[in-house]
């Protein structure tokens, strides 16, 4: 199986939204909740227009189908619903939040999400101005918690808080150093040949 990771364009918005909504309804089982998922409806305004944000898509080279998404936004976690000290540690504007890293179930465990994190980290490094890289995950999503534990450092596991909080796990990644050369956030397309793990 071969995939290309690339910066999303306006033509990708509907397909990217489909991946996101299928994940929200299928894996997260929350359905669309406006206060959490507003960005899914306004993908262009949230990810494609702002300079310090991006949305990548993973495209199956054979079918042309968008099978995965991954984004960066310059917005830290808010309190509530997140613990106040987590929100204070990751303030908006200086925090790059990795989000909407979703892969369709039939294309999982092929390295797509890991490659997505690598490319999003390169975007964070090249765009500059970020002092922290943050993400959170719902451990109820199959494979999500072990995947993130293999890449990032746990900042707060809400299941360990009195009352269990929201039950999500907050993570930090190192802020990547900028690399010399290529302009920020404009990958022409990164090929990825995937094999089952």
């Amino acid at each position: 199986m071969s995939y290309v990771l690339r910066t999303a364009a306006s033509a990708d918005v509907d397909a990217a939204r489909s991946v996101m909504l299928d994940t929200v309804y299928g894996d997260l089982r929350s359905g669309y909740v406006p206060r959490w998922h507003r960005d899914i409806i306004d993908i262009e305004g949230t990810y494609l227009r702002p300079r310090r944000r991006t949305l990548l898509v993973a495209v199956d080279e054979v079918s042309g189908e968008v099978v995965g998404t991954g984004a960066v936004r310059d917005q830290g976690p808010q309190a509530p619903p997140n613990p106040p000290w987590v929100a204070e540690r990751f303030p908006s504007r200086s925090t790059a939040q990795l989000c909407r890293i979703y892969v369709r179930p039939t294309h999982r465990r092929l390295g797509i999400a890991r490659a997505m994190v690598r490319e999003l980290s390169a975007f964070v490094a090249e765009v500059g101005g970020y002092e922290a890289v943050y993400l959170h995950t719902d451990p109820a999503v199959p494979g999500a918690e072990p995947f993130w534990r293999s890449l990032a450092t746990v900042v707060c596991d809400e299941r360990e808080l009195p009352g269990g909080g929201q039950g999500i796990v907050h993570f930090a990644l190192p802020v990547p150093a900028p690399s010399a050369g290529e302009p920020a956030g404009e990958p022409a397309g990164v090929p990825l040949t995937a094999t089952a793990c």
Side-chain angles (χ1 to χ4, degrees), residues 152-168:
T153 303
V154 174
V155 172
C156 175
D157 185 336
E158 291 193 20
R159 297 169 296 182
E160 297 171 1
L161 298 177
Q166 305 171 89
I168 65 172

Side-chain angles (χ1 to χ4, degrees), residues 1-6 57-68 104 106-107 110 112 192 194:
M1 299 180 135
S2 296
Y3 303 91
V4 171
L5 303 183
R6 60 175 168 77
V57 290
V59 180
D60 181 321
E61 286 193 299
V62 174
S63 69
E65 177 189 9
V66 171
V67 300
R104 290 209 180 274
T106 54
H107 298 271
L110 299 172
I112 295 171
L192 169 66

Side-chain angles (χ1 to χ4, degrees), residues 21-34:
L21 287 174
D22 285 352
T23 302
V24 164
Y25 280 91
D27 289 327
L28 299 175
R29 297 193 175 138
S30 65
Y32 175 77
V33 179

Side-chain angles (χ1 to χ4, degrees), residues 85-168:
W85 68 269
V86 173
E88 288 169 15
R89 179 172 172 177
F90 301 103
S92 292
R93 289 186 292 285
S94 64
T95 296
Q97 182 175 173
L98 303 187
C99 53
R100 307 295 178 224
I101 299 177
Y102 300 149
V103 178
R104 290 209 180 274
T106 54
H107 298 271
R108 290 181 185 160
R109 299 194 56 78
L110 299 172
I112 295 171
R114 193 170 296 271
M116 195 77 75
V117 172
R118 186 174 54 249
E119 293 303 312
L120 292 172
S121 295
F123 172 85
V124 168
E126 295 306 319
V127 80
Y130 286 117
E131 297 172 9
V133 179
Y134 162 86
L135 66 105
H136 66 265
T137 195
D138 182 341
V141 175
E145 184 178 2
F147 171 75
W148 287 115
R149 284 184 182 268
S150 76
L151 294 175
T153 303
V154 174
V155 172
C156 175
D157 185 336
E158 291 193 20
R159 297 169 296 182
E160 297 171 1
L161 298 177
Q166 305 171 89
I168 65 172

